[in-house]
Amino acid sequence: MKENLKKHRILTGVAASSGIAVGRALFINRASGGSFSTEIIHPKHFVREEKRLERAVADQACEFENAETKVRGMSQEQSDLLEAYSMICRDPKLMELARKAIRQDRLPAGLAWEKAVRSVLKSFEKIDVPYLRERAEDVKSVGSRVAARLRGRKAEPSPALGCRVIMAHDLTPADTLALAPENILALATEMGGQTSHTGILARGQRLPCVVGVTGLEEAARDGAMVIVDGIRGLVIVNPMPDELAAYQKKQELLNLFEARLRQEAHLPAKTEDGCRVRVYGNIETTNDALRIRDLGGEGIGLYRTEFGYLSRLDLPTEEELYADYTRIVRGMAPDRVVLRTLDIGADKSLAGIPKLEESNPVLGLRSIRLSLYCPDLLRSQCRAILRAATHGNAALMFPMVSGLRELRQAKGIIEEARRELLERGEPCAENLPVGVMIELPSSVFLAPALAKEADFFSIGSNDLIQYILGVDRENKYVSYLYQPLHSAVLEAVRQVVEAARQAGIRVSVCGEMASDPFCLPLLMAMGIDEFSVTPQAIPILKYLIRRLNMPELRKLLAQVYDKVSTETTRRLMEKYMNGRFSQELQFINLGAKEDA
Amino acid sequence: MAHNTEYQAEIETEVIFTATVTVLNDWGLHARPAANLARIAQGFAADIYLNAGEHNANAKSILDILTLAATRHTTLTLTCLGTEAKEAGEAILRFFAGK
């Protein structure tokens, strides 16, 4: 191992947050931090081991309790979660079991603690209520952090170390909350994908981040010089001098480019020839919403409301949802906020929803189907939305609608919610626009009919592409078939735009396709004039739009319709965009993924 | 949440407080109520237990309460022993009664 210490390694992962950082590594949470000594202890050390245990537990609990004061703008869910963590940490049952393991089994503190945690986890396994059984994850998370302390590894980088690239096997929400952002240059983890919590946090703090880096723990030692390339998804350990110089140069250029983007962010999204389009942001939390305006966003085109349900231990009440939604709607007014109703599958466990063992969850009880299966849940969310909508410019949107019957059923629930509110004497929005997400091929075929009963369409390109092409892009054996520029996908978009135009309703694109520079020109040429993208993509999208012109784009689209082959379309678009934006494209993470 | 019976006695020096309580909130004793209950129990010197069938939970332990898996309509036996048993019992009844 020693000879690997300075070994140059280039590791690939998933670029989760753009940017480049050069600095020294600091590991805070390895998968196996080495095992504890298994020797039994002498009775004269019982008290010493108990003291070590109490100390580690108290320190960890304090860290959870203090995290709140350190992290500005923490949501209620996050703060509840931390409180539950601290209660689990200080739980008398765990302590009693661990003490018993010290005194009866004569185990040292670390092993005794791990035994106590295992024993509690075993009793959780027997629980037959899924949303209670799932709490085992919290016990594990707390347990491993106390264990790390007993190994002598502190979970938090000390400010004295200066700024570091934080590395970890995986980061739990509690880990990331406990980190002080001002001491972090970048994040890199062995586990995780684009949508993992770490990536979300990194994007929020504008820290470069690469996740899912296989071999990271083995290759990088504490203090090693590393480069984190959040554009291409690379971690370079012990870089060569020329690499280091190249990256420092690239970092400078990137800084200049970003400064330019910031300067231009507030200019309107208008093409060279004066065609005005709208650029909105996709958000998940109330915190995300705060950034939209700074980034030049003209509103929120997709508010994924799942986070309010999943980031907590129980179900949110109507009042809590109302408070969250109101904060966003009021904060963004008079700009628009489109709230998408709950869009999760029965594979995600949610308090109060049956956790199903479905053989094919993607085609199962999910999204609007799940909401219609649990109408109380949907009604409660609709009430919260109807009430929040009185504070600004809000709209509601149903995900994964397959046809008219579902749309009518779901709209029926909005009406029930409205009646309930009227009975309660609660103010609610009179004319809440109700939109349909176009994500299933059936909704493309039925777009003309749906357009008559919907106030707007929003194309959720990620799912639409997945269902049209029958491809799971997370599956590495078939992901090459996931092609946003596939002729069938473009034809679907064309049909949807046409149906919307006939009915006189608006249509936006809110998936990744909207921020893909190679798709953007074609979408614009087809007549899409609203784009909703991940917040950090707003400035670059506006930058590109401001440098395009419609007659040229229409010519491109005609060529694409003419060619019909996906491969030629791809080449045509790459040639065109690389010709126009050769400098800029090197700073855009072309593989960026996002759920929509 | 409501309680059906209440029984109080003093055996020698130890105070005992017992009662039957029914979980009435929608999602049962899930994380947030479990945390609140444990916090209330921790405020008393008494030993406080909740029984559901063969499960016996220390009411001061959020983990014990969660593993009771007490869903809506579950009936639990509350037992408080020792100093402050009565006060603790009453506080816990108030919790189950919803205030």
Side-chain angles (χ1 to χ4, degrees), chain A residues 259-275:
Chain A
R260 175 110 191 239
L261 284 182
R262 272 195 299 278
Q263 274 172 10
E264 285 195 18
H266 296 278
L267 299 175
K270 201 193 277 180
T271 59
E272 283 176 343
D273 55 317
C275 172

Side-chain angles (χ1 to χ4, degrees), chain B residues 12-98:
Chain B
E12 291 169 280
T13 58
E14 190 152 54
V15 183
I16 302 183
F17 181 102
T18 66
T20 306
V21 293
T22 305
V23 179
L24 287 183
N25 69 327
D26 287 354
W27 308 105
L29 288 181
H30 60 82
R32 192 177 298 170
N36 291 339
L37 177 56
R39 205 174 301 110
I40 293 170
Q42 284 169 11
F44 295 95
D47 291 328
I48 307 166
Y49 300 98
L50 285 166
N51 268 65
E54 64 213 56
H55 292 281
N56 187 18
N58 176 354
K60 295 181 182 182
S61 162
I62 182 177
L63 296 174
D64 256 7
I65 298 170
L66 286 173
T67 49
L68 266 182
T71 48
R72 189 177 178 168
H73 300 316
T74 305
T75 301
L76 303 168
T77 309
L78 166 68
T79 309
C80 308
L81 299 171
T83 321
E84 295 186 319
K86 184 164 177 283
E87 294 82 347
E90 281 163 357
I92 291 192
L93 287 179
R94 275 197 299 280
F95 168 81
F96 277 100

Side-chain angles (χ1 to χ4, degrees), chain A residues 113-154:
Chain A
W113 173 258
E114 286 192 328
K115 188 177 175 188
V117 170
R118 272 198 308 276
S119 151
V120 167
L121 288 176
K122 208 166 259 162
S123 45
F124 269 89
E125 278 167 22
K126 293 188 201 121
I127 300 178
D128 51 11
V129 187
Y131 64 88
L132 292 174
R133 190 171 56 225
E134 296 288 321
R135 302 278 62 85
E137 289 306 313
D138 302 331
V139 179
K140 274 184 210 160
S141 171
V142 171
S144 69
R145 292 176 62 83
V146 173
R149 281 178 187 274
L150 288 165
R151 284 192 192 96
R153 186 169 282 121
K154 227 172 141 288

Side-chain angles (χ1 to χ4, degrees), chain A residues 368-369 399-407 440 442-443 446 450:
Chain A
I368 189 67
R369 302 164 183 182
M400 213 184 158
V401 171
S402 67
L404 277 176
R405 185 192 149 108
E406 263 171 350
L407 175 60
L440 290 173
S442 62
S443 63
L446 297 176
L450 288 167

Side-chain angles (χ1 to χ4, degrees), chain A residues 415-560:
Chain A
E415 284 321 303
E416 284 171 31
R418 192 193 305 276
R419 271 199 302 278
E420 285 165 3
L421 290 174
L422 290 175
E423 274 168 33
R424 272 163 41 187
E426 205 86 63
C428 67
E430 299 269 325
N431 299 309
L432 179 72
V434 176
V436 164
M437 274 190 91
I438 303 293
E439 298 177 280
L440 290 173
S442 62
S443 63
V444 175
F445 296 130
L446 297 176
L450 288 167
K452 292 194 183 115
E453 300 189 24
D455 298 315
F456 61 94
F457 281 162
S458 188
I459 298 174
S461 63
N462 299 8
D463 273 338
L464 185 62
I465 296 169
Q466 150 165 299
Y467 289 119
I468 285 183
L469 301 177
V471 171
D472 173 6
R473 64 178 177 160
E474 303 293 332
N475 179 334
K476 64 179 176 185
Y477 300 103
V478 296
S479 59
Y480 70 97
L481 291 169
Y482 183 93
Q483 295 163 318
L485 289 173
H486 195 286
S487 312
V489 174
L490 297 179
E491 175 57 21
V493 175
R494 190 195 64 78
Q495 288 186 22
V496 173
V497 173
E498 181 58 28
R501 188 176 295 153
Q502 292 282 339
I505 65 171
R506 303 188 76 103
V507 53
S508 68
V509 173
C510 67
E512 271 162 31
M513 204 176 170
S515 54
D516 181 336
F518 303 126
C519 295
L520 174 73
L522 296 181
L523 293 174
M524 289 183 60
M526 282 192 243
I528 300 275
D529 54 8
E530 291 184 358
F531 299 90
S532 193
V533 297
T534 184
Q536 71 271 16
I538 294 173
I540 179 74
L541 194 63
K542 288 178 89 176
Y543 178 99
L544 296 176
I545 290 168
R546 291 169 50 76
R547 285 159 178 78
L548 293 171
N549 78 75
M550 294 306 287
E552 225 176 275
L553 300 187
R554 291 199 193 96
K555 239 186 280 166
L556 262 177
L557 183 65
Q559 273 179 280
V560 166

Side-chain angles (χ1 to χ4, degrees), chain A residues 517 520-521 540 543-548 575-588:
Chain A
L520 174 73
I540 179 74
Y543 178 99
L544 296 176
I545 290 168
R546 291 169 50 76
R547 285 159 178 78
L548 293 171
K575 190 172 160 221
Y576 179 75
M577 290 304 276
N578 282 323
R580 298 282 319 258
F581 303 102
S582 61
Q583 280 295 309
E584 296 87 340
L585 289 184
Q586 63 168 319
F587 296 123
I588 303 177

